[in-house]
Tab-separated table of all heavy atoms in Angstrom:
chain	number	residue	atom	x	y	z
B	1	ALA	N	44.131	128.530	-21.768
B	1	ALA	CA	43.984	127.098	-22.050
B	1	ALA	C	43.245	126.929	-23.375
B	1	ALA	O	42.372	127.709	-23.721
B	1	ALA	CB	43.204	126.428	-20.928
B	19	LEU	N	27.214	116.694	-45.859
B	19	LEU	CA	27.603	116.679	-44.445
B	19	LEU	C	28.386	117.928	-44.102
B	19	LEU	O	29.260	118.366	-44.863
B	19	LEU	CB	28.491	115.454	-44.189
B	19	LEU	CG	29.200	115.406	-42.828
B	19	LEU	CD1	28.207	115.108	-41.713
B	19	LEU	CD2	30.316	114.366	-42.846
B	30	THR	N	49.009	130.578	-32.643
B	30	THR	CA	48.995	129.806	-33.888
B	30	THR	C	48.573	128.373	-33.601
B	30	THR	O	49.008	127.771	-32.624
B	30	THR	CB	50.403	129.802	-34.511
B	30	THR	OG1	50.806	131.153	-34.725
B	30	THR	CG2	50.399	129.050	-35.825
B	44	LEU	N	41.603	105.282	-34.159
B	44	LEU	CA	41.512	106.648	-34.653
B	44	LEU	C	42.477	106.803	-35.827
B	44	LEU	O	43.618	106.354	-35.779
B	44	LEU	CB	41.937	107.631	-33.570
B	44	LEU	CG	40.864	108.120	-32.613
B	44	LEU	CD1	41.508	108.785	-31.418
B	44	LEU	CD2	39.934	109.087	-33.302
B	48	LEU	N	42.316	114.575	-42.077
B	48	LEU	CA	42.975	115.698	-42.725
B	48	LEU	C	43.550	116.621	-41.653
B	48	LEU	O	43.210	116.493	-40.472
B	48	LEU	CB	42.004	116.471	-43.636
B	48	LEU	CG	40.641	116.874	-43.083
B	48	LEU	CD1	40.729	118.096	-42.195
B	48	LEU	CD2	39.660	117.142	-44.224
B	61	LYS	N	39.088	110.288	-48.793
B	61	LYS	CA	37.689	109.856	-48.968
B	61	LYS	C	36.733	111.003	-49.260
B	61	LYS	O	35.551	110.927	-48.904
B	61	LYS	CB	37.229	109.065	-47.733
B	61	LYS	CG	38.120	107.876	-47.437
B	61	LYS	CD	37.592	107.002	-46.337
B	61	LYS	CE	38.544	105.838	-46.113
B	61	LYS	NZ	38.057	104.873	-45.130
B	78	LYS	N	31.533	117.132	-46.477
B	78	LYS	CA	31.579	116.160	-47.574
B	78	LYS	C	30.300	116.341	-48.367
B	78	LYS	O	29.210	116.342	-47.791
B	78	LYS	CB	31.700	114.729	-47.045
B	78	LYS	CG	31.886	113.710	-48.173
B	78	LYS	CD	32.247	112.339	-47.662
B	78	LYS	CE	32.472	111.397	-48.837
B	78	LYS	NZ	32.887	110.038	-48.421
B	79	PRO	N	30.404	116.503	-49.671
B	79	PRO	CA	29.210	116.827	-50.469
B	79	PRO	C	28.182	115.692	-50.520
B	79	PRO	O	26.988	115.949	-50.613
B	79	PRO	CB	29.760	117.124	-51.860
B	79	PRO	CG	31.206	116.850	-51.832
B	79	PRO	CD	31.636	116.542	-50.446
B	83	TRP	N	27.318	105.157	-46.936
B	83	TRP	CA	27.085	104.331	-45.750
B	83	TRP	C	28.417	104.038	-45.039
B	83	TRP	O	28.474	103.995	-43.808
B	83	TRP	CB	26.400	103.033	-46.169
B	83	TRP	CG	26.211	102.086	-45.041
B	83	TRP	CD1	25.263	102.128	-44.069
B	83	TRP	CD2	27.039	100.949	-44.750
B	83	TRP	NE1	25.415	101.084	-43.192
B	83	TRP	CE2	26.496	100.345	-43.587
B	83	TRP	CE3	28.154	100.376	-45.363
B	83	TRP	CZ2	27.059	99.204	-43.026
B	83	TRP	CZ3	28.705	99.237	-44.812
B	83	TRP	CH2	28.158	98.667	-43.649
B	89	TYR	N	33.718	111.118	-35.506
B	89	TYR	CA	34.655	112.098	-36.025
B	89	TYR	C	35.084	113.034	-34.889
B	89	TYR	O	34.244	113.578	-34.161
B	89	TYR	CB	34.006	112.907	-37.156
B	89	TYR	CG	33.717	112.051	-38.373
B	89	TYR	CD1	32.584	111.246	-38.421
B	89	TYR	CD2	34.583	112.025	-39.459
B	89	TYR	CE1	32.321	110.429	-39.515
B	89	TYR	CE2	34.336	111.221	-40.567
B	89	TYR	CZ	33.207	110.425	-40.578
B	89	TYR	OH	32.958	109.614	-41.665
B	90	PHE	N	36.391	113.213	-34.786
B	90	PHE	CA	36.947	114.046	-33.724
B	90	PHE	C	37.739	115.202	-34.333
B	90	PHE	O	38.598	114.997	-35.185
B	90	PHE	CB	37.907	113.237	-32.836
B	90	PHE	CG	37.249	112.154	-32.040
B	90	PHE	CD1	37.080	110.891	-32.577
B	90	PHE	CD2	36.795	112.401	-30.754
B	90	PHE	CE1	36.471	109.879	-31.846
B	90	PHE	CE2	36.197	111.392	-30.008
B	90	PHE	CZ	36.027	110.133	-30.558
B	101	PHE	N	41.455	117.402	-27.966
B	101	PHE	CA	40.413	116.808	-28.794
B	101	PHE	C	39.032	117.308	-28.398
B	101	PHE	O	38.773	117.605	-27.229
B	101	PHE	CB	40.434	115.284	-28.661
B	101	PHE	CG	41.565	114.639	-29.397
B	101	PHE	CD1	42.835	114.599	-28.837
B	101	PHE	CD2	41.367	114.074	-30.638
B	101	PHE	CE1	43.892	114.005	-29.514
B	101	PHE	CE2	42.410	113.475	-31.328
B	101	PHE	CZ	43.676	113.441	-30.768
B	109	VAL	N	25.072	106.979	-41.247
B	109	VAL	CA	24.550	107.150	-42.599
B	109	VAL	C	23.624	105.987	-42.909
B	109	VAL	O	24.015	104.826	-42.818
B	109	VAL	CB	25.684	107.225	-43.635
B	109	VAL	CG1	25.106	107.395	-45.036
B	109	VAL	CG2	26.640	108.358	-43.309
Side-chain angles (χ1 to χ4, degrees):
Chain B
L19 169 72
T30 303
L44 272 166
L48 49 79
K61 304 187 180 185
K78 186 170 182 178
W83 176 78
Y89 294 81
F90 294 88
F101 285 81
V109 180

